[in-house]
């Protein structure tokens, strides 16, 4: 498994494997953690406070995230009440203008023509997120979503004709960009997503 623990942290790398993994050949690999409520020891929760303390991975277009998901996101019924993808934070800004930033987003009604979203709102982080630990949080109530970075509110919304009213899984993931981008990287290097903790609170 690529996701490991080191010095008390969860470590998820983007790394080139000559021998491949999972039956696939040589190439770039990464990983993610999903609490998957359908699994034997899965977990999901409705409402509460969700927080991750982490250092973001360095690498062009490498996409780290802390988010909530439910199968109801795919129901095309004009509402996010039966499930909303809640991106507490996403990071794809390394080496871009104002690179020390993250975004928060909401998605529901699937990902095809009916797809609805509240577009990315970016938040610049003074404490370099690629070098230092920062906290990213979401307070999810029965009326709204409130997003935080280092305890400072960055966004407040009830977009989706009301918030999700169902339990959602918690995901920590590190996604890989297009192969033509990765092929420009040094195969001996790796970008690492380092997570100190994920904490989930109920009222």
């Amino acid at each position: 498994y690529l996701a490991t623990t080191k010095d008390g942290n969860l470590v998820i790398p983007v790394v080139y494997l000559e021998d491949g993994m999972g039956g696939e050949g040589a190439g770039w690999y990464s990983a993610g953690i999903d609490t998957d409520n359908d699994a034997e020891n899965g977990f999901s929760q409705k409402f509460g406070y969700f927080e991750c303390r982490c250092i973001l991975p360095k690498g062009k277009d490498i996409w780290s995230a802390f988010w909530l998901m439910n199968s109801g996101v795919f129901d095309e019924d004009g509402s996010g009440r039966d499930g909303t993808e809640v991106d507490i934070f996403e990071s794809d800004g390394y080496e871009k203008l104002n690179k020390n930033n993250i975004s928060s987003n909401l998605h529901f009604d699937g990902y095809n023509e009916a797809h609805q979203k509240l577009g990315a709102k970016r938040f610049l982080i003074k404490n370099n997120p690629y070098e230092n630990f920062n906290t990213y949080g979401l307070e999810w109530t029965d009326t709204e979503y409130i997003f935080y970075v280092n305890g400072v509110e960055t966004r407040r919304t009830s977009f989706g004709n009301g918030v999700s009213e169902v339990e959602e899984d918690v995901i920590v993931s590190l996604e890989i960009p297009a192969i033509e981008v990765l092929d420009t990287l040094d195969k001996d290097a790796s970008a690492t997503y380092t997570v100190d903790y994920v904490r989930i609170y109920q009222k």
Side-chain angles (χ1 to χ4, degrees):
Y1 295 98
L2 290 181
T4 61
T5 57
K6 181 179 180 181
D7 299 327
N9 297 316
L10 169 67
V11 177
I12 305 176
V14 172
V15 62
Y16 189 87
L17 300 177
E18 291 286 355
D19 296 329
M21 187 177 185
E24 300 294 331
W28 292 95
Y29 289 83
S30 188
I33 303 294
D34 184 345
T35 62
D36 190 1
N37 193 41
D38 293 328
E40 182 178 351
N41 296 310
F43 170 85
S44 63
Q45 180 169 300
K46 179 176 71 172
F47 307 146
Y49 182 73
F50 303 75
E51 185 175 81
C52 177
R53 183 173 186 263
C54 58
I55 300 175
L56 308 183
K58 297 178 180 179
K60 183 181 178 182
D61 293 329
I62 291 173
W63 197 294
S64 58
F66 173 48
W67 49 300
L68 308 180
M69 185 65 176
N70 176 280
S71 60
V73 172
F74 297 94
D75 295 339
E76 298 179 0
D77 57 4
S79 172
R81 292 179 183 273
D82 54 353
T84 297
E85 176 189 325
V86 183
D87 300 319
I88 300 171
F89 89 80
E90 294 182 289
S91 164
D92 66 340
Y94 188 73
E95 291 189 343
K96 294 182 179 179
L97 183 66
N98 295 327
K99 67 180 181 180
N100 292 348
N101 69 74
I102 55 91
S103 65
S104 57
N105 312 268
L106 300 173
H107 302 266
F108 64 92
D109 276 1
Y111 299 95
N112 298 313
E113 290 184 8
H115 174 231
Q116 298 191 55
K117 69 176 181 178
L118 181 64
K121 180 175 181 181
R122 296 198 171 271
F123 186 83
L124 187 64
I125 302 171
K126 294 180 180 179
N127 184 36
N128 187 334
Y130 299 96
E131 298 283 350
N132 305 306
F133 282 106
N134 291 275
T135 60
Y136 307 91
L138 170 76
E139 183 179 357
W140 170 18
T141 74
D142 58 355
T143 59
E144 62 187 348
Y145 305 107
I146 309 169
F147 297 83
Y148 298 89
V149 174
N150 294 326
V152 176
E153 181 180 327
T154 58
R155 185 174 217 173
R156 181 184 293 249
T157 181
S158 56
F159 176 78
N161 297 321
V163 301
S164 174
E165 297 176 349
V166 295
E167 293 185 346
E168 303 220 5
D169 299 341
V170 181
I171 304 172
V172 174
S173 60
L174 181 51
E175 297 183 33
I176 299 173
I179 192 65
E180 58 269 19
V181 175
L182 288 170
D183 282 344
T184 66
L185 300 180
D186 179 356
K187 289 183 172 64
D188 293 326
S190 67
T192 302
Y193 183 11
T194 303
V195 180
D196 178 20
Y197 64 73
V198 171
R199 293 176 180 165
I200 302 167
Y201 301 83
Q202 295 178 322
K203 286 276 187 179

